[in-house]
């Protein structure tokens, strides 16, 4: 069952997109739906990641700023300390409470969004390139087999078989 699960996972047609989405989450702290990553070129994937990151950040800034600076509360009841702390921890933006008192909600949102966009634009996304290798799923599977069973399998050889045959080939070599 473990072999079947590993083969099914690594050779799934969505595997690369899922791995890129997970990498993006770890690298940029954003969530991207794998089916939105449909480009096979590095620059295209990087551009899509940045586009998705910008959209998510804009939404996060809008919602979170509204939690600290609610339109339903008078400005003196806003949680400016919390907002200042969140801005620093999330975007490395040092907005002092005194600065925040002098800003309206839209100014705060704009400053935080621009700072976040700057972070996204400066982020090195070269690490996504490894996922664009056409044999990426097979290579991951071969690494898993090596770790699980201590056997070497040629990823090129596996690519010649269908999913069921790949599982059987791995099981046969593991038993041998």
């Amino acid at each position: 069952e473990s072999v079947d699960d590993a083969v099914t996972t690594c050779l799934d047609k969505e595997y690369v997109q899922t791995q890129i989405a997970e990498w993006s989450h770890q690298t940029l702290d954003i969530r991207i739906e794998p089916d939105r990553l449909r480009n096979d070129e590095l620059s295209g994937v990087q551009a899509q990641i940045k586009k998705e990151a910008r959209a998510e950040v804009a939404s996060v800034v809008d919602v979170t700023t509204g939690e600290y600076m609610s339109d339903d509360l008078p400005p003196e009841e806003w949680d400016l300390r919390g907002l200042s702390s969140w801005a620093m921890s999330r975007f490395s933006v040092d907005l002092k409470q005194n600065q925040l008192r002098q800003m309206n909600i839209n100014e705060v949102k704009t400053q935080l969004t621009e700072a976040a966009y700057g972070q996204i634009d400066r982020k090195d996304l070269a690490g996504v390139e490894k996922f664009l290798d056409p044999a990426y799923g097979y290579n991951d599977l071969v690494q898993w087999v090596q770790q699980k069973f201590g056997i070497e399998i040629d990823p090129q050889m596996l690519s010649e078989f269908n999913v069921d045959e790949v599982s059987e080939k791995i099981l046969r070599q593991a038993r041998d």
Side-chain angles (χ1 to χ4, degrees), residues 93-163:
V93 175
D94 190 14
L95 285 174
K96 304 289 186 213
Q97 292 178 54
N98 290 336
Q99 288 175 282
L100 290 168
R101 279 188 194 90
Q102 297 172 12
M103 300 169 79
N104 65 40
I105 294 172
N106 288 332
E107 291 170 332
V108 172
K109 287 179 183 180
T110 298
Q111 188 163 350
L112 291 175
T113 302
E114 287 175 3
Y117 286 176
Q119 285 182 341
I120 291 166
D121 291 342
R122 289 186 300 276
K123 198 66 158 179
D124 180 12
L125 300 181
V128 78
E129 184 173 16
K130 69 181 178 184
F131 301 108
L132 300 180
D133 177 351
Y136 179 77
Y138 288 99
N139 292 335
D140 260 14
L141 179 60
V142 165
Q143 288 176 355
W144 179 84
V145 168
Q146 170 61 37
Q147 291 173 346
K148 186 78 171 172
F149 300 111
I151 58 176
E152 299 287 330
I153 295 181
D154 178 17
Q156 180 65 35
M157 181 268 306
L158 289 181
S159 68
E160 298 171 8
F161 300 104
N162 68 38
V163 173

Side-chain angles (χ1 to χ4, degrees), residues 13-28:
K13 65 182 179 176
E14 301 290 324
Y15 183 65
V16 169
Q17 289 83 6
T18 302
Q19 295 302 299
I20 293 172
E22 180 60 31
W23 180 88
S24 298
H25 176 67
Q26 292 172 357
T27 304
L28 292 170

